[in-house]
Amino acid sequence: MCGIIARAGIGDALEELVVGLQNLEYRGYDSAGVAVRRADGPITVCKREGETDALEAALSGRALPGGTGIGHTRWSTHGAPSDANAHPHTDDSGRVAVVHNGIIRNHESLRRELREAGHRFRSETDTEVVPHLVAAALDDGADPESAFRAAVARLEGSYALAMIVDEDDAVYATRRGSPLVLGLGTDANYLASDVPAFLEFTDRVVYLEDDDVVVLEGNTYRITDVDGTPVDRPIETVEWDASDARKGVYNHFMRKEIDEQPVSLRQTLEGRIDGDRSELTAFPPGSLSDVDDVVFVACGTSYHAAMYGSTLLRRRGVPATALRANEFAHDPMPVSERTLVIAVTQSGETADTLASLRVANDLSARTLAVTNVVGSSAARGADEALFIRAGPEIGVAATKTFSSQVAALALLADRIAADGGGADAYGDETAGVGDHGGAYDPDSVRSDLESLPTAVETVVNDAGAARLATQFADAESYFFIGRGVGYPVALEGALKFKEITYEHAEGFAAGELKHGPLALVTPATVVIAVFTGRNDELTLHNVREAQSRGAPVVGVGPASATTLRETVDEYLPFPRTDPNLAGIPANVHLQLLAYHAAEIRDRAIDKPRNLAKSVTVE
Ligand code: F6R
């Protein structure tokens, strides 16, 4: 949410800054802007409300020579989207230009103080205080680096900041609570909110810590702590490929990422299953034997994956709960040193989730981040990390990372249960009307995890969701229901549907429908029922309740479940898989349903209204 990019080095900066902004647009698209220090001295700023296209149009035909510059793509927090509120922000004289991601909590008092000292403000943003603070320090005789440090010392809140100053060749940057990563190229170095920003220029990165101050000058860089003492941060090579972060032949990243799931799932699972056990390098057998209970914290799609994981653990007899990170952070449940708190987060930078991790650390729980991003704040802030290895996800709506999160959590659940000896909680008495029984058979789960990429491939190639998106395009509401692991999938299906179609969509536990939501069901409500092969006959009761009120029902379930097919009005089948994993292929159908429904409505699928990826504010 808000993307920043900075570049210093040989050759001109502008083109690379714009590429960086295009690559970061998933973090915000309310406005975009750049500031380049011209080779002969002054700073030129160009910024526009709207997507980076508007900025590019404003820049077209303009020569902005100079190797040093900063750029920003905005998701508004303080002040509406507008040219004036777009970053970079400058001081009165235009000597100092700053881009910022985060929230400066004490901006109002700083603004008052600066106004009284004669500074004039042109935007409603919290960020604008920074260039004015720097300018004030420069006026007092400080050099640019000292002025930057003095300004940062006044700030409260979260920030990743990058600054350039007139007649100075350097970029100055720092972070606290918002992501910032350094990219080391040959002719130039980069700073950005996220690696994909500069991945086409370099894969050598340095993950910065809170309060690091970085100075890029020519093609050299320097990292110091808040007192100016040099700090040594390791250089790492990112395994992601630059082409992974491009759309290629696709119209939308979301569709590309849906289609990538057979591959991303294979990456998640590779080398992690060995016959009768899950092999997680970070968690050898016995390493989780002191875990008594598990608490998941996460937001959005990751929360749904966490719910899924907690259900699997409970089925293995391990007490487990999933809580929304924005709730846990302020109302934590009791945990002990023997509680494993698992933060599930694709980006590893979600502020709510990081706040929960801090609380769990403070409460002395053992903490683990399950994340897609190596070097992310979550990976570094937790005691341990498990990487889902899904590759970069650019579409704002999370897709492939949900599948990989669930697969990784299934492996982890297996390891925790094996270490803790969790007894299967449910026996095999709950056989469904599908072709599967209801037991949790760890061997079956492991072996079906291995064939999951192939099952998902079948779903990705199925045209059923596209057809149904058209057939039900005129519905007033879309209700998603499921039970067991089908419940988080129903919630996820509804989330995906509402966020990219802007239609009314809700997810419910199937058994809950009759306790209230059924009042809303009419012939204009499409009910999408998720079946997993476990307790399906109960969900069928709920389906019939909806059908009696005239609602058409779409079933998503195992291909061979004939009773289900015959009862529902439409059916989206997936190949036989263990009921504990069936939510993954079912969810791929729901992703496709949302995608096609959004396409029919001509929505901005990769940049849904009011949303952005990686929510770095609480
Ligand atoms: C929905 C979506 C969001 C994220 C949520 C958490 O499609 O992408 O709901 O899942 O903001 O993000 P991470 O997983 O990065 O912590």
Side-chain angles (χ1 to χ4, degrees):
M1 139 173 304
C2 289
I4 69 176
I5 172 94
R7 187 263 191 205
I10 300 163
D12 285 343
L14 183 63
E15 201 178 316
E16 292 187 343
L17 290 175
V18 171
V19 169
L21 291 181
Q22 288 164 341
N23 292 341
L24 281 177
E25 217 176 8
Y26 58 88
R27 298 181 67 94
Y29 25 91
D30 288 339
S31 62
V34 290
V36 176
R37 195 185 85 82
R38 293 176 64 101
D40 52 0
I43 293 170
T44 306
V45 175
C46 183
K47 52 188 191 172
R48 286 293 181 277
E49 181 187 345
E51 301 185 5
T52 47
D53 295 355
L55 174 68
E56 285 174 70
L59 283 168
S60 87
R62 287 177 69 177
L64 288 185
T68 306
I70 54 180
H72 188 272
T73 175
R74 178 167 186 249
W75 185 84
S76 314
T77 55
H78 292 74
S82 68
D83 286 357
N85 288 334
H87 299 217
H89 290 286
T90 56
D91 65 312
D92 289 321
S93 64
R95 266 180 307 169
V96 181
V98 169
V99 288
H100 165 226
N101 168 30
I103 289 187
I104 296 166
R105 278 204 317 271
N106 60 336
H107 75 104
E108 277 168 3
S109 59
L110 291 172
R111 188 182 272 253
R112 258 194 313 277
E113 173 191 318
L114 287 158
R115 269 212 180 104
E116 279 163 20
H119 292 258
R120 284 175 296 116
F121 284 81
R122 281 164 292 193
S123 80
E124 303 157 283
T125 64
D126 52 340
T127 307
E128 199 184 346
V129 297
V130 183
H132 288 281
L133 285 170
V134 174
L138 289 172
D139 286 343
D140 289 345
D143 59 70
E145 183 172 341
S146 312
F148 182 66
R149 288 178 185 277
V152 170
R154 302 287 316 276
L155 306 179
E156 290 166 17
S158 66
Y159 44 80
L161 288 164
M163 172 189 91
I164 57 173
V165 177
D166 223 359
E167 301 188 3
D168 182 276
D169 216 18
V171 171
Y172 303 87
T174 190
R175 62 159 284 178
R176 174 178 283 186
S178 293
L180 190 65
V181 56
L182 170 61
L184 304 177
T186 316
D187 291 336
N189 295 321
Y190 310 86
L191 284 155
S193 304
D194 216 346
V195 170
F198 53 66
L199 196 53
E200 33 202 293
F201 312 130
T202 183
D203 59 1
R204 292 172 65 234
V205 303
V206 176
Y207 295 106
L208 300 167
E209 302 281 345
D210 274 357
D211 297 328
D212 282 355
V213 173
V214 188
V215 181
L216 305 184
E217 206 159 13
N219 59 349
T220 66
Y221 72 96
R222 191 157 47 82
I223 308 175
T224 51
D225 67 11
V226 76
D227 303 318
T229 311
V231 288
D232 200 17
R233 302 270 175 250
I235 299 173
E236 297 179 40
T237 303
V238 178
E239 287 183 7
W240 291 350
D241 195 279
S243 65
D244 292 345
R246 286 196 217 106
K247 258 193 291 212
V249 296
Y250 285 90
N251 291 332
H252 300 106
F253 278 110
M254 183 183 178
R255 182 63 212 239
K256 174 175 178 256
E257 288 158 5
I258 290 172
D259 282 7
E260 276 172 1
Q261 289 177 102
V263 174
S264 51
L265 270 170
R266 271 187 200 106
Q267 288 167 189
T268 304
L269 297 166
E270 197 180 344
R272 287 174 163 177
I273 298 171
D274 184 7
D276 61 355
R277 69 179 201 211
S278 299
E279 284 287 357
L280 298 171
T281 317
F283 300 101
S287 56
L288 292 161
S289 55
D290 60 355
V291 171
D292 281 350
D293 60 325
V294 176
V295 175
F296 289 89
V297 288
C299 301
T301 292
S302 294
Y303 170 71
H304 300 147
M307 279 180 75
Y308 200 126
S310 71
T311 307
L312 294 183
L313 274 167
R314 290 195 299 272
R315 286 180 177 177
R316 296 294 300 271
V318 180
T321 320
L323 296 171
R324 294 188 191 273
N326 28 46
E327 289 294 319
F328 179 92
H330 307 287
D331 269 310
M333 71 181 284
V335 293
S336 77
E337 285 171 10
R338 296 176 68 87
T339 305
L340 180 65
V341 174
I342 304 180
V344 184
T345 164
Q346 185 284 128
S347 62
E349 301 295 348
T350 298
D352 290 326
T353 309
L354 295 178
S356 275
L357 254 185
R358 279 192 295 275
V359 169
N361 284 333
D362 289 349
L363 293 171
S364 303
R366 180 171 173 182
T367 54
L368 162 65
V370 174
T371 181
N372 197 28
V373 181
V374 177
S376 60
S377 302
R380 288 177 294 152
D383 298 327
E384 288 147 307
L386 174 63
F387 296 105
I388 63 167
R389 307 195 302 211
E393 187 177 70
I394 310 291
V396 167
T399 51
K400 64 176 179 176
T401 52
F402 176 85
S403 301
S404 289
Q405 285 169 336
V406 173
L409 291 178
L411 294 170
L412 188 65
D414 196 36
R415 164 66 34 230
I416 293 172
D419 276 2
D424 286 2
Y426 291 90
D428 64 354
E429 77 286 5
T430 50
V433 292
D435 56 349
H436 312 294
Y440 193 119
D441 174 357
D443 293 331
S444 151
V445 171
R446 272 190 300 272
S447 108
D448 283 4
L449 266 174
E450 289 189 297
S451 51
L452 199 59
T454 313
V456 164
E457 194 155 19
T458 308
V459 177
V460 162
N461 293 325
D462 190 313
R467 178 177 59 79
L468 296 181
T470 308
Q471 184 174 328
F472 293 116
D474 296 331
E476 278 172 13
S477 291
Y478 299 82
F479 282 9
F480 294 73
I481 61 170
R483 65 177 65 235
V485 298
Y487 174 35
V489 170
L491 295 179
E492 174 59 11
L495 176 67
K496 214 88 312 172
F497 203 89
K498 75 179 80 164
E499 75 180 318
I500 61 167
T501 67
Y502 316 153
E503 296 291 341
H504 178 225
E506 297 295 334
F508 302 103
E512 196 64 19
L513 205 58
K514 59 186 177 296
H515 294 292
L518 200 54
L520 297 175
V521 171
T522 70
T525 313
V526 180
V527 174
I528 298 111
V530 178
F531 298 97
T532 59
R534 177 177 178 134
N535 289 328
D536 286 346
E537 77 283 9
L538 292 173
T539 304
L540 264 192
H541 293 323
N542 311 125
V543 162
R544 291 194 185 99
E545 287 153 12
Q547 283 175 321
S548 317
R549 275 80 191 172
V553 175
V554 177
V556 184
S560 53
T562 40
T563 315
L564 300 181
R565 275 177 182 271
E566 283 162 10
T567 309
V568 297
D569 302 287
E570 295 289 347
Y571 199 66
L572 295 171
F574 52 80
R576 195 220 74 81
T577 189
D578 188 281
N580 294 290
L581 303 175
I584 298 177
N587 187 55
V588 176
H589 271 306
L590 303 187
Q591 294 169 350
L592 286 166
L593 187 67
Y595 176 82
H596 290 296
E599 210 181 22
I600 290 166
R601 291 162 176 81
D602 203 21
R603 302 298 190 220
I605 291 177
D606 281 337
K607 297 171 193 165
R609 166 175 90 189
N610 304 338
L611 301 177
K613 206 167 184 73
S614 196
V615 184
T616 51
V617 292
E618 277 187 63

